[in-house]
Each structure stands twice: as structure tokens, then as C-alpha cells.
Amino acid sequence: MKTQTRKQRKKHTCWPWIVMILIMILVIAAAVHSMMRQASNADSSAAQSSSVSQAHPAPAQESEPTATPVPTATPEPELATDRPITTEEAAEMDALLDSMPGSISVWIQDIGSGLTYTYKPDNGFYCASTLKAPYALWLCQRDEEGLLDLDAAVGSESGWDLIYPLIAHSSNGAAHDLGAMWPGSLDTGFSDFLTELGFASPEGCEVVEDGIHGWVTGADGGRAMRALYDYFETGTENALELQEAFLSADHDLLYCPAPAAKKYGSWDQALHDMAIVYAERPYIISMFTDWGDQEVSFPEEGRERMQQVGQLAAEIILND
């Protein structure tokens, strides 16, 4: 048997170590490769996560919900400045007047405030004897201005002797005599006077020898009575004497809860009344209608309706 030399033994002895070293190198290389792959996967996952975060950012936190604003309450409609009563009271007066037949025009003024309620203020009617009221005012003021003399004789009486029955008793005879002496017409300036009072159709209104003519409204009647109220407040001798004539009127068409300076008018298709009511809260009421009858000065049905309107007006104004 052939004997191995020392060199050969040494060669055989080293080979296992070399194999072991190679194996260890391979194991280490495999481990390093595995670690590198894991690191690469981690970077890729982080990059992917960052990409997703940028493409789909987290929704911003919602702000606190804004409270729904409370709607502002719609204010109650204010009454027009020409009304002295509430909306409900005006509706009550409207309903009463709406229930009545024919044509009606009403004007009611609270004297203290000057505020006014109206119902169909433009409805027109034959004036009848209501025109005697502004005519008497016109005569008294012209007398004070020295443009005429009411102490002068008019037939067998003086002008002043005729003023009282003209108003207190609505005397047509007194109207004819005064109209003959001092005609109230377009030519004499009476129409201009009515224009200043605010009458709707002053040109056709006249008190002359042959009678009384004119087309007027409930508002015209109210304005005439307001002018008379202001005149009475001057306290002149003429004013006080004329006021006494109006306070002595003895008819009862419109209900008045206190002493009243009044003037009515009655004829075919015309039944009117207007008054200054001297209550604790003084007011003016004027009501013109087409309920008149030439044969009856105060038709009962018309009087009853006017009493109802006067009563409601008193309740509204005096209890307001």
C-alpha cells in the first residue's frame, strides 16, 4: 500500500476547512441578500404609502356646524298714517260699512292727532244742505275781514238773524235769502275757498238765490268740519256765535256720545251727516250716502244704519 507523503496529508487535511469556509460565505451572502430584499420591500411599501397619502389626503376636520339663522319675524303691517285705529278696528268698521247697501263715503278724524280713517272717500253725492256749513264759515270769515257785513239787513232780518236757522234748522229760506245777498259761487270766490279746504269738485259748488248746487264726498264734509273746528278754536265773537248755531242742531242721524256741532243734508239720493263730537277725545265724523228720499227728511232705515256707524266710531275712538 502506497504511503501518503506529509504534503499529501496536509492537502487532504485542509480541504474540509475550505469547504466549510465556502459554505459559510454562501450562507452569509444569502443572509445579506435576504436583508437587502427586505429593506427594498420596506422602502417600496413606504413609498407606496406616501403616494397614497398624497393622492388621497385625509379629509380635513369639519368645522363646527353653523347655527341655522333664525328668520326675522315679519313685522305687522303698519297702519297708514291717515288711520287713527288699529288694523283690526279698521277691518271691523270696513265690514260694517260693506254690509250696508248703496253708495257710502265716510271720513273720521281724531282731532288730537289729526289721523283719519276713510272709507271710499272719493264716492260723490249731491251736496244737499251740507254745503250750508262751509258757506256759513265763508260768510263769517269775510265779515271779520270787512268784505261784507252780517249785521246788514237781508230782507226784514239781519244776516246774523239768518245764520242761526241756516245751520241749526237747515232753513232753505235762510239759504235763499243769504245766497241772494251774498252769493257763494265761482265768481265771488266761494269755489276758491272750497279749493283751499281740499274739496274734490269745488267749481260746481254754490249757494245762490235759486238754490244749492254741488257734488261732494264724505271727505269734503270731514274737511269742512275740521275747518270749522279750527275756526271755533279762535274764540272770536263770530266763531263762538257760529259754533252755538252748530251745537243747536236738533237732528239725530249719526250717533254722537257727547255734545256735537252738526250739519245734515237730505234729498233724493242724498242722506248725509257730519259732526264735531266734543268728547273727552274730540273727533270728527262725516258720512255721506245715497239713501235719501225727497219726501222724507230722515228715512228710518238710513237713520238706523248711521246710528250703528256712529256708535262703532265712538267705541273705537273713545276706547282706543
Side-chain angles (χ1 to χ4, degrees), residues 25-210:
I25 290 173
L26 289 175
V27 170
I28 291 171
V32 170
H33 178 72
S34 175
M35 291 176 63
M36 290 181 64
R37 186 173 62 183
Q38 291 177 2
S40 177
N41 290 340
D43 290 343
S44 175
S45 175
Q48 183 177 6
S49 175
S50 175
S51 175
V52 170
S53 177
Q54 291 177 3
H56 303 283
Q61 182 178 359
E62 292 183 4
S63 58
E64 294 183 8
T66 303
T68 303
V70 178
T72 303
T74 303
E76 289 293 325
E78 294 184 2
L79 292 173
T81 55
D82 62 347
R83 284 182 180 268
I85 58 179
T86 66
T87 302
E88 292 76 13
E89 291 168 336
E92 186 178 3
M93 180 64 80
D94 288 347
L96 175 61
L97 294 170
D98 286 342
S99 71
M100 295 180 174
S103 182
I104 303 171
S105 182
V106 173
W107 194 93
I108 304 172
Q109 184 178 81
D110 171 24
I111 291 175
S113 67
L115 300 182
T116 306
Y117 165 84
T118 62
Y119 178 88
K120 300 183 179 179
D122 298 326
N123 282 5
F125 311 85
Y126 168 57
C127 62
S129 291
T130 61
L131 200 60
K132 295 171 183 174
Y135 175 65
L137 172 60
W138 181 69
L139 290 178
C140 289
Q141 290 183 332
R142 285 169 67 86
D143 178 73
E144 290 178 338
E145 295 167 3
L147 300 176
L148 56 83
D149 183 7
L150 285 175
D151 290 322
V154 181
S156 61
E157 302 180 272
S158 72
W160 273 117
D161 291 333
L162 296 174
I163 289 288
Y164 185 87
L166 174 77
I167 299 302
H169 308 305
S170 199
S171 170
N172 288 329
H176 292 308
D177 290 344
L178 289 167
M181 183 72 172
W182 299 296
S185 64
L186 179 63
D187 295 336
T188 62
F190 182 58
S191 295
D192 292 335
F193 173 73
L194 296 181
T195 298
E196 293 174 1
L197 297 186
F199 271 49
S201 302
E203 299 83 2
C205 294
E206 59 182 17
V207 180
V208 293
E209 183 176 9
D210 68 350

Side-chain angles (χ1 to χ4, degrees), residues 3-16 18:
T3 304
Q4 291 181 334
T5 65
R6 180 179 179 181
K7 185 176 181 179
Q8 288 174 331
R9 285 197 303 272
K10 184 178 181 179
K11 181 179 179 181
H12 288 299
T13 302
C14 292
W15 177 250
I18 293 171

Side-chain angles (χ1 to χ4, degrees), residues 105 120-125 200 215-223 286 288:
S105 182
K120 300 183 179 179
D122 298 326
N123 282 5
F125 311 85
W215 193 254
V216 294
T217 69
D220 292 340
R223 294 187 183 103
S286 170
F288 283 38

Side-chain angles (χ1 to χ4, degrees), residues 240-275:
L240 295 177
E241 191 163 349
L242 183 60
Q243 183 183 36
E244 182 59 32
F246 277 93
L247 287 169
S248 299
D250 53 6
H251 65 277
D252 65 345
L253 286 175
L254 282 168
Y255 168 78
C256 297
K262 303 184 287 184
K263 185 70 199 76
Y264 78 92
S266 180
W267 199 249
D268 276 346
Q269 303 296 307
L271 182 64
H272 318 319
D273 198 12
M274 49 194 192

